Each structure stands twice: as C-alpha cells, then as structure tokens.
C-alpha cells in the first residue's frame, strides 16, 4: 500500500521546507505541497520533522573480540537501530589474520540475516598482501567499497607500510579506508608503567593509558601516509582536540588528499569524569576525554571539520565488564539506538547546531562517502527510508528504557528532548511511537563507489 506523509517539515542536509510525500513501493514517488491520501496509508506529521533515514556507519554487532562476544547481535542491534530512527547500519566484517576477505564477508552475511534495518559491511582487514589486494576487487564487485585498518589490537594491527599500500589499492577501486588511530607501542608502554606502579588498574587508568598524544601522533602519521599514497582516508572515532588540530593543519594547507573525520556521540556528550563512577561501563577505545576535548569537537562540528557521526556501538553487559583490572575489560559501549535522538536533543534543541547539519552528519554525508546511492536525502526517486521526529515530548534515559541487549546505559540520567515517532524503511511503515510494527525487513545493500564530500 502506498503511504502519504502529510503536514511535516522535510529536513534535508541543504534545507527545510513544508510538503507532503507520496511513497510507492520502496521509493519516494512525489513531493508536493498537498497530496491526497485516497488509497494510501496516511501518516500525519504535523509539528514534526521528516528526515532521510539515519545511517550509522560504525557498528560492531556479533563481534567476538577473542575474550568476549558483544551483547548485541544483528537481531537485537538492528532492532535497537530502527527503533531509534537509524534505517541503515554499516558493520565491520572482520577478517581473521589467517583468513580471507571472502570468508569474513560470508560470515557477516550469515550473522546479519533477520536484520530489522538495512545493512552493509566495511571490511576490516587484518593483513594486506597480494592475495588480499586481489580480493579487494571481488569485494568491490559485491558492494563493499570501504575498509577499516587498525593501528592497535594484537589480532588486527597492521604496520604503516600495509596502510600505505592498502590506501593506494583502495583508491584504485574507488573505495575508502577508515583507520583506528592510536600508537600501540606507546599505549602498551604506558600500560606496563601503570601496572608496575601497582595502583594503575582502576577504570580511570584506562584513560591514563591512552592519553591524547597517543591518538594525535597516530592521526598525524596517518595524514602523512595518506599524503604519500595520495589517497583519501577517514579517521574514525576521533576524540581529541590535539588530533583535530592535526586535521585542521592538513586542511589549511592541502585540498587533497581528503582527510575525513568521524566522531561519536560519546565524545561529544561524556567526559573522563565518568571513570570515577562505576567507570568500567565507559571503557572504550579511544577513551572518554577532558571537557576541553568535548568542546573542541563541538567547535569542529560547527565549523565543518567533522564529516560524519557514527556510534562505534560495541555493547557488553555489566557482567562482561566486571573485571578488576581495566585492561581486562572488553572495550566498547552501546549507542546505536540513541544517536539520532540524543544528537537532535543536545545538538538542535541544545542550540549547538542546525537540523540541516545533523542530517548532513548522520545521513547525507554517510550516504555519499559510502556509496549509498539514492539514500541520505528526501527527493523524488530516492529510496523511502525516513525518520519522523517530534520535538514535543521528553524522557530521561535509564539503564533499562532502551532496546539494546545490554543491562545498562552510558547515558543513564540524560534528559532527551524530542522523540523518534515513526520510521519508514524500504517504503514500509516499520516503527510507530516506540513500537516495532515490522521486524526483520532490512536487507543487504551492495554499495557503489565512494564519492568525495
Ligand atoms: N573500540 C574499538 O576500537 N572497537 C570497538 C569498541 C571500542 O571501544
Ligand atoms: Zn576503532
Ligand atoms: Zn569501532
């Protein structure tokens, strides 16, 4: 059945206007000042913003870190995502060091069956050699046009030469690489120091073990590697003022290669004071930072130096996190359900940024950067993935009022103004007032090549 969304304000990355929307099959068929509802389901969006479905380009569902398996798999993770207004997630299919990219792809396709929002995969590569280079062509052909490389974690870390070679190869294929930037040797040395001192096992020591310099040095190095390779690169989950300064320095002198920046809601809303109060809940990498870093990220967001906001959703239960030594606590926090509502509440209603900017960072830019053609904007012919948000109500987040498969919330106590009221996915009305009307209707999206922003 066709759907008509009436009386709402359409918010795209490039402007807002009041109009009705006709959806037929899985596409937007018409946008006009007034559309009749005859023979169609009518959704009244009076007083609401109608936005392109949000795209979370950074999730880890059903990930086995070697010592723990994430609490959310694709069934629970995508359910939380769609209830929170995210219509597409890009998860990290992760290659085993001695495995192939194809094996990782097949494994992730299996995991993702039954998803309630659309999904695609970045390929996280644990090595780069001739065979991997060849397989990247195959990845391109099956719709994987983005990769992640890690500078940390024993089972994933690659060296600078591999990053350089992989960046060049990705560029040849119209693909883009995101890099987890931290200097592993430094953080290991500091970790050893902290443990020698005996006192250094509390959660706050997690932040001490990964100081700002550990990220900033790695970001500076990555920028030089990208320049040598003459290839664009994405710095994922950037968290510090110092790393942002490195990006600003590059951007002030060079147009290309493009150095893109992703940050996450946790680095915009929380600071390292959290490590003093049941701090294991907040153990993630990079760690939470000082308030001055939080402010620097908001400034960067305002002046156009942040390109996307992803969650780095990687959830563990309190039992999994319950370790005496910070270095044994699995890294990551839940967040996929919260991102749209908390960014709209804190960013738009908090007076820190416009609705257009939020749509740009959470939908339009992710769609462009990651080859999600005909998504990320509301226009005739685009896929009908849409999120309707009302600013009328407010609620306080608790450890339990969410759909993550996880027994706590890193944002417990936060008042969220506004609510995700309805979600349209592939032309179907799948969420209404917190209720999932249709589950399991997400599908795999084979992506096109990367496009510059
Ligand atoms: N850090 C990562 O690099 N990955 C998942 C979770 C985290 O905190
Ligand atoms: Zn990472
Ligand atoms: Zn991550």
């Amino acid at each position: 059945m066709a759907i008509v969304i009436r009386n709402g304000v359409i918010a795209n990355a490039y402007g807002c206007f009041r109009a009705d929307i006709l959806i037929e099959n899985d596409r937007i068929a018409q946008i006009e000042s007034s559309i009749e509802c005859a023979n169609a389901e009518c959704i009244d969006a009076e007083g609401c913003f109608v936005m392109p479905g949000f795209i979370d380009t950074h999730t880890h569902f059903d990930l086995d870190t070697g010592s723990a398996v994430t609490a959310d798999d694709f069934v629970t993770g995508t359910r939380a995502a769609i209830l929170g207004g995210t219509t597409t997630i890009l998860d990290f299919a992760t290659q085993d060091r001695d495995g192939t990219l194809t094996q990782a792809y097949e494994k992730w396709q299996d995991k993702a069956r039954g998803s309630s929002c659309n999904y695609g995969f970045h390929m996280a590569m644990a090595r780069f050699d001739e065979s991997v280079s060849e397989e990247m062509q195959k990845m391109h052909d099956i719709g994987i046009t983005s990769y992640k490389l890690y500078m940390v974690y024993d089972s994933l870390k690659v060296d600078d030469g591999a990053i350089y070679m992989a960046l060049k190869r990705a560029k040849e294929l119209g693909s883009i690489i995101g890099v987890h930037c931290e200097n592993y040797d430094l953080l290991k040395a500091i970790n050893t120091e902290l443990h020698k001192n005996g006192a250094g096992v509390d959660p706050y020591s997690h932040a001490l073990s990964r100081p700002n310099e550990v990220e900033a040095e790695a970001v500076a190095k990555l920028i030089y590697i990208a320049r040598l390779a003459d290839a664009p690169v994405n710095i994922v989950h950037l968290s510090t003022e110092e790393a942002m300064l490195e990006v600003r320095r590059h951007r002030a002198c060079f147009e290309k290669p493009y150095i893109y920046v992703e940050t996450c809601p946790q680095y915009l809303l929380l600071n390292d004071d959290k490590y003093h109060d049941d701090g294991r809940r907040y153990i993630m990498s990079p760690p939470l930072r000082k308030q001055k870093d939080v402010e620097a990220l908001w400034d960067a967001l305002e002046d156009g130096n942040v390109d996307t906001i992803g969650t780095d959703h990687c959830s563990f239960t309190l039992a999994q996190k319950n370790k005496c030594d910070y270095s044994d606590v699995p890294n990551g926090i839940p967040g996929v359900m919260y991102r749209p509502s908390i960014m709209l509440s804190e960013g738009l209603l908090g007076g820190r940024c416009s609705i257009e900017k939020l749509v740009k960072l959470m939908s339009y830019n992710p769609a462009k950067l990651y080859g999600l053609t005909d998504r990320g904007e509301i226009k005739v012919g685009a896929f009908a993935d849409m999120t309707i948000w009302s600013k009328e109500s407010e609620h306080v987040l608790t450890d339990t009022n969410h759909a993550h498969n996880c027994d706590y919330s890193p944002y417990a106590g936060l008042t969220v103004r506004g609510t995700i009221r309805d979600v349209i996915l592939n032309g179907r009305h799948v969420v209404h007032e917190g209720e999932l009307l249709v589950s399991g209707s997400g599908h795999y999206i084979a992506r096109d090549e990367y496009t510059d922003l």
Side-chain angles (χ1 to χ4, degrees):
M1 193 191 213
I3 297 175
V4 176
I5 302 174
R6 302 195 69 191
N7 308 320
V9 174
I10 296 173
N12 272 318
Y14 38 80
C16 293
F17 59 104
R18 200 184 164 95
D20 295 352
I21 303 168
L22 171 66
I23 297 162
E24 284 176 345
N25 303 314
D26 61 351
R27 300 261 183 176
I28 296 173
Q30 212 185 340
I31 300 175
E32 296 291 342
S33 54
S34 179
I35 301 176
E36 286 308 312
C37 272
N39 303 322
E41 177 187 349
C42 191
I43 299 175
D44 186 2
E46 180 72 47
C48 298
F49 281 110
V50 185
M51 295 168 282
F54 292 111
I55 299 166
D56 189 343
T57 58
H58 197 145
T59 66
H60 302 274
F61 295 150
D62 201 357
L63 180 71
D64 185 348
T65 66
S67 55
V69 179
T70 54
D72 279 299
D73 57 16
F74 276 82
V75 169
T76 61
T78 59
R79 193 170 172 275
I82 199 80
L83 284 165
T86 290
T87 50
T88 300
I89 57 103
L90 297 181
D91 200 81
F92 292 90
T94 303
Q95 179 195 20
D96 291 332
R97 186 79 88 190
D98 56 358
T100 65
L101 303 186
T102 307
Q103 285 165 344
Y105 169 77
E106 285 169 355
K107 196 167 167 183
W108 253 259
Q109 281 289 12
D110 273 353
K111 288 172 189 266
R113 225 165 271 139
S115 288
S116 288
C117 71
N118 294 333
Y119 54 92
F121 308 121
H122 309 283
M123 184 55 63
M125 296 191 286
R127 62 187 161 84
F128 183 80
D129 54 25
E130 258 320 297
S131 68
V132 168
S133 174
E134 270 172 37
E135 263 199 302
M136 286 171 75
Q137 178 68 57
K138 179 174 171 191
M139 293 300 113
H140 170 276
D141 298 345
I142 55 181
I144 294 187
T145 52
S146 54
Y147 296 85
K148 184 172 182 186
L149 293 173
Y150 288 85
M151 292 185 182
V152 292
Y153 303 128
D154 285 319
S155 60
L156 292 167
K157 178 187 185 309
V158 295
D159 64 27
D160 300 344
I163 296 175
Y164 168 74
M165 297 298 292
L167 284 176
K168 290 180 84 158
R169 178 65 174 140
K171 185 184 176 187
E172 277 172 12
L173 292 167
S175 300
I176 187 157
I177 297 188
V179 181
H180 178 127
C181 294
E182 288 184 294
N183 182 312
Y184 196 40
D185 294 341
L186 278 178
L187 71 87
K188 269 199 339 198
I190 300 168
N191 185 46
T192 306
E193 270 178 349
L194 286 164
H195 280 80
K196 267 198 191 135
N197 292 342
V201 296
D202 58 291
Y204 192 75
S205 297
H206 175 67
L208 294 178
S209 75
R210 302 170 108 102
N212 289 23
E213 291 80 357
V214 161
E215 179 182 76
E217 186 276 343
V219 164
K221 183 171 72 175
L222 177 67
I223 291 172
Y224 283 114
I225 297 173
R227 275 193 220 156
L228 276 176
D230 191 24
V233 73
N234 189 17
I235 299 162
V236 296
H237 49 51
L238 186 143
S239 65
T240 59
E241 179 182 23
E242 289 81 353
M244 186 52 78
L245 266 176
E246 298 296 339
V247 174
R248 287 181 183 278
R249 224 170 263 145
H250 170 83
R251 288 183 172 186
C253 300
F254 300 92
E255 203 208 334
K256 284 191 165 183
Y258 293 116
I259 306 293
Y260 295 108
V261 172
E262 172 203 75
T263 193
C264 312
Q266 55 268 35
Y267 303 119
L268 290 162
L269 266 76
L270 307 175
N271 66 35
D272 67 356
D273 288 346
K274 290 285 183 197
Y275 291 116
H276 296 301
D277 179 17
D278 202 1
R280 69 205 158 119
R281 294 175 172 224
Y282 305 95
I283 290 190
M284 67 190 91
S285 292
L288 297 176
R289 305 296 188 177
K290 301 278 178 221
Q291 191 57 29
K292 64 109 184 154
D293 297 293
V294 171
E295 297 308 326
L297 291 180
W298 278 107
D299 289 347
L301 199 143
E302 190 183 328
D303 63 25
N305 281 297
V306 173
D307 302 293
T308 61
I309 296 175
T311 58
D312 202 3
H313 177 103
C314 189
S315 58
F316 296 98
T317 61
L318 288 175
Q320 288 176 298
K321 290 228 171 227
N322 191 19
K323 307 274 188 244
C324 295
D325 184 327
Y326 75 84
S327 60
D328 294 328
V329 179
N331 277 217
I333 60 165
V336 73
M337 183 173 178
Y338 300 129
R339 182 189 59 140
S341 56
I342 63 179
M343 290 308 304
L344 285 159
S345 175
E346 293 288 313
L348 176 67
L349 300 180
R352 285 176 176 258
C353 60
S354 66
I355 189 140
E356 289 91 343
K357 171 72 64 95
L358 291 172
V359 170
K360 190 173 182 179
L361 294 169
M362 298 197 292
S363 188
Y364 181 78
N365 280 356
K368 270 194 92 177
L369 203 52
Y370 292 112
L372 290 157
T373 307
D374 288 341
R375 295 181 202 271
E377 49 188 322
I378 296 184
K379 62 176 185 185
V380 172
F383 286 107
D385 290 350
M386 274 172 268
T387 299
I388 301 176
W389 177 76
S390 157
K391 61 176 186 303
E392 286 318 320
S393 63
E394 67 175 44
H395 62 288
V396 178
L397 295 179
T398 69
D399 282 336
T400 53
N401 61 358
H402 56 79
H404 303 131
N405 186 32
C406 187
D407 51 356
Y408 79 97
S409 166
Y411 302 103
L414 181 74
T415 298
V416 176
R417 289 187 282 160
T419 183
I420 303 294
R421 209 196 68 180
D422 297 272
V423 182
I424 310 293
L425 178 72
N426 305 317
R428 296 174 77 183
H429 189 186
V430 296
V431 171
H432 180 60
E433 289 185 348
E435 194 191 334
L436 188 60
L437 306 175
V438 183
S439 69
S441 69
H443 61 70
Y444 173 69
I445 301 180
R447 291 178 291 121
D448 295 322
E449 292 185 1
Y450 135 91
T451 336
D452 286 330
L453 297 180

